[in-house]
Amino acid sequence: MKRIFLTVGIVFTALFVLSNTGAVAVEQQFAERFVVNGTTIAEGPAGTYNFDKAHTFIGFRVKHMGLIDVPGYFRDFTGSVNYDPKDVSKSSVTFTAQMTSVDTGVKGRDDHLRRADFFEVEKFPEMTFKSTKVEKNGDSLSVTGDLTMKGVTKSVVIPFNITGFLPATERRGALMGIIGETTINRRDFGVNYGTNMPNGIPSIGNDIKVWLQIEAAIPAPAKPAAD
């Protein structure tokens, strides 16, 4: 009987050690593969990360009749982040959205947005952003840049967070995640359509909340040539 209890005790001890060793290994692997916020600045690999269109959202929200926010986004865009982990102020961001790709989920409204009342896409087919400064203050970051829409260029500031990195594998390059949000006044860019209601509230809000969720990747490493 004692031998049975001794054997059982050894087995449970071994399982405990193995399970804890496995847990430590998993934690180490997780730490190596995904780093959050403050740590990401030091840990992310340097390079040019191109927006992954399948996992990136360039959207906006605008108040309708002073009641609710109507959301929309752009389906066609390109962009990149040139990231320097040693000195984030040397990083840069650019993106271009095709204005004809605006999508609010309602065809009639989208067609109206493409006309002269709003974006006038035939004359101004693209919206562009080119950063002029990237700053880091503690765990917070912001990018300042020139936003051009409907032929008007204004400097805007976009606070953002880096949500993490994944290292390169044989199938893909390193990945980074970014979320950011800011507010612009549409009238600053010559988008003036919309009348005031009797209570003084505009039928379409002037403030546009810009909402960015970006997954970007360094190109996958080149495969060695076959002998």
Side-chain angles (χ1 to χ4, degrees), residues 76-153:
D76 189 6
F77 56 85
T78 58
S80 64
V81 180
N82 189 1
Y83 178 67
D84 186 340
K86 294 183 179 179
D87 185 354
V88 72
S89 68
K90 295 180 180 178
S91 302
S92 60
V93 182
T94 62
F95 75 80
T96 299
Q98 301 301 318
M99 301 304 282
T100 190
S101 73
V102 65
D103 191 339
T104 66
V106 178
K107 184 181 184 304
R109 180 166 59 211
D110 296 341
D111 289 342
H112 192 187
L113 289 174
R114 296 183 183 106
R115 295 198 290 268
D117 284 340
F118 290 94
F119 297 140
E120 200 170 355
V121 300
E122 290 187 1
K123 186 176 180 180
F124 306 104
E126 294 181 340
M127 173 178 64
T128 62
F129 177 86
K130 184 176 182 179
S131 66
T132 55
K133 179 170 60 176
V134 177
E135 295 179 290
K136 179 177 181 289
N137 299 304
D139 290 339
S140 63
L141 300 99
S142 66
V143 56
T144 302
D146 293 330
L147 178 66
T148 300
M149 182 170 62
K150 205 173 182 180
V152 179
T153 299

Side-chain angles (χ1 to χ4, degrees), residues 27-218:
E27 288 178 2
Q28 289 175 343
Q29 184 182 26
F30 183 80
E32 290 170 358
R33 289 180 59 81
F34 188 79
V35 189
V36 178
N37 292 333
T39 313
T40 52
I41 305 306
E43 296 295 334
T48 298
Y49 294 76
N50 297 320
F51 288 14
D52 178 355
K53 290 179 68 172
H55 302 99
T56 294
F57 180 83
I58 297 180
F60 57 89
R61 301 189 299 274
V62 60
K63 191 73 71 179
H64 180 248
M65 297 292 186
L67 298 174
I68 54 95
D69 285 343
V70 173
Y73 70 105
F74 295 95
R75 291 179 283 102
D76 189 6
F77 56 85
T78 58
S80 64
V81 180
N82 189 1
Y83 178 67
D84 186 340
K86 294 183 179 179
D87 185 354
V88 72
S89 68
K90 295 180 180 178
S91 302
S92 60
V93 182
T94 62
F95 75 80
T96 299
Q98 301 301 318
M99 301 304 282
T100 190
S101 73
V102 65
D103 191 339
T104 66
V106 178
K107 184 181 184 304
R109 180 166 59 211
D110 296 341
D111 289 342
H112 192 187
L113 289 174
R114 296 183 183 106
R115 295 198 290 268
D117 284 340
F118 290 94
F119 297 140
E120 200 170 355
V121 300
E122 290 187 1
K123 186 176 180 180
F124 306 104
E126 294 181 340
M127 173 178 64
T128 62
F129 177 86
K130 184 176 182 179
S131 66
T132 55
K133 179 170 60 176
V134 177
E135 295 179 290
K136 179 177 181 289
N137 299 304
D139 290 339
S140 63
L141 300 99
S142 66
V143 56
T144 302
D146 293 330
L147 178 66
T148 300
M149 182 170 62
K150 205 173 182 180
V152 179
T153 299
K154 297 286 184 180
S155 180
V156 301
V157 180
I158 306 174
F160 71 95
N161 287 316
I162 298 176
T163 58
F165 289 90
L166 288 174
T169 67
E170 292 182 359
R171 298 179 58 187
R172 58 161 175 74
L175 298 176
M176 74 184 306
I178 296 173
I179 57 173
E181 189 168 348
T182 193
T183 300
I184 62 174
N185 189 315
R186 65 186 176 93
R187 294 184 183 273
D188 289 343
F189 296 88
V191 183
N192 299 313
Y193 181 86
T195 58
N196 284 338
M197 297 183 295
N199 59 5
I201 297 175
S203 58
I204 301 171
N206 294 325
D207 288 340
I208 309 298
K209 298 176 183 178
V210 180
W211 181 23
L212 307 172
Q213 295 197 55
I214 299 166
E215 186 174 296
I218 293 177

